Amino acid sequence: SRIAHRLGITLLLSFLATTILGSSPLTHRQINRISEETSMVEKPAKAAEIISQTNPSHRQRIAIRVVRIFLKEAHFLAPSLVGAIAGSSPEVIVEVTSEAVQLFPESAYSIVKAAVAGAPDLATAIALRVSVENLTNAEPILAGAVSAKPEAAPTLLAALESPEMLQRTETPS
């Protein structure tokens, strides 16, 4: 029974590896099954692996799907999952961070800090995009970015003071 179970898992993983490396993206059901079969400790690394192995043309969509599914019952993993994705697939980290903060605004500081720590070259893009999309949490978002990359503070301040940014953040009267 144990050998059959291991064989089944091996076959499933082989199938999933072929699917991930192939041109068709993983389905919601496939990602859900991977999440269910992955221990909490391994979820951040597994999420990063799935995303990095996905065809670039599908990567952003799959990344958002993975974040939603993997964090569904493990909210506390949001910062470590975002950090792992930032390290392996920085090209999707702005969208991933935005999604995670929208799902768990109470963790905005730690999510943004993890994203910036994993993709420091994108600190300004992450902080500005996520803070504009989540104005009520702009302070912890910006603090998380500056905590992970203090040298980004002058650039962030300059960007926030620009007329274009002020127009984006003003609420309509």
Side-chain angles (χ1 to χ4, degrees), residues 5 11 24-25 27 33-34 37 42 46 49-51 54-57 65-66 72 85 87 128 134 138 142 144 154 159:
H5 179 71
L11 290 173
S24 61
T27 65
R33 184 158 183 184
I34 294 169
E37 294 177 353
E42 296 171 333
K46 180 56 81 176
E49 177 185 335
I50 290 169
I51 294 164
T54 297
N55 183 313
S57 65
R65 188 179 293 169
V66 166
K72 180 173 45 184
I85 295 168
L128 293 178
N134 301 276
L142 296 170

Side-chain angles (χ1 to χ4, degrees), residues 7-173:
L7 179 60
I9 289 175
T10 302
L11 290 173
L12 174 66
L13 291 175
S14 295
F15 168 75
L16 292 175
T18 303
T19 303
I20 290 170
L21 296 173
S23 61
S24 61
L26 288 173
T27 65
H28 183 86
R29 178 180 282 162
Q30 290 168 322
I31 295 170
N32 201 43
R33 184 158 183 184
I34 294 169
S35 178
E36 289 171 355
E37 294 177 353
T38 303
S39 73
M40 290 293 176
V41 173
E42 296 171 333
K43 279 186 188 278
K46 180 56 81 176
E49 177 185 335
I50 290 169
I51 294 164
S52 68
Q53 292 180 355
T54 297
N55 183 313
S57 65
H58 302 292
R59 196 167 287 156
Q60 183 176 326
R61 185 168 44 93
I62 295 300
I64 297 301
R65 188 179 293 169
V66 166
V67 167
R68 289 177 183 161
I69 292 170
F70 272 55
L71 296 178
K72 180 173 45 184
E73 294 175 9
H75 304 181
F76 62 92
L77 287 177
S80 55
L81 190 123
V82 168
I85 295 168
S88 68
S89 300
E91 70 279 6
V92 297
I93 198 56
V94 174
E95 292 79 11
V96 164
T97 305
S98 180
E99 182 68 22
V101 169
Q102 287 176 25
L103 291 170
F104 311 110
E106 68 282 359
S107 300
Y109 174 88
S110 55
I111 291 169
V112 171
K113 184 176 181 178
V116 171
D121 292 343
L122 298 172
T124 303
I126 293 166
L128 293 178
R129 162 95 179 267
V130 177
S131 62
V132 167
E133 291 178 351
N134 301 276
L135 288 175
T136 58
N137 289 306
E139 187 177 327
I141 289 165
L142 296 170
V146 171
S147 176
K149 188 175 179 184
E151 59 273 21
T155 306
L156 285 172
L157 285 173
L160 289 170
E161 292 172 349
S162 74
E164 297 84 19
M165 184 58 70
L166 290 174
Q167 285 177 344
R168 287 188 204 168
T169 59
E170 287 179 354
T171 54
S173 304

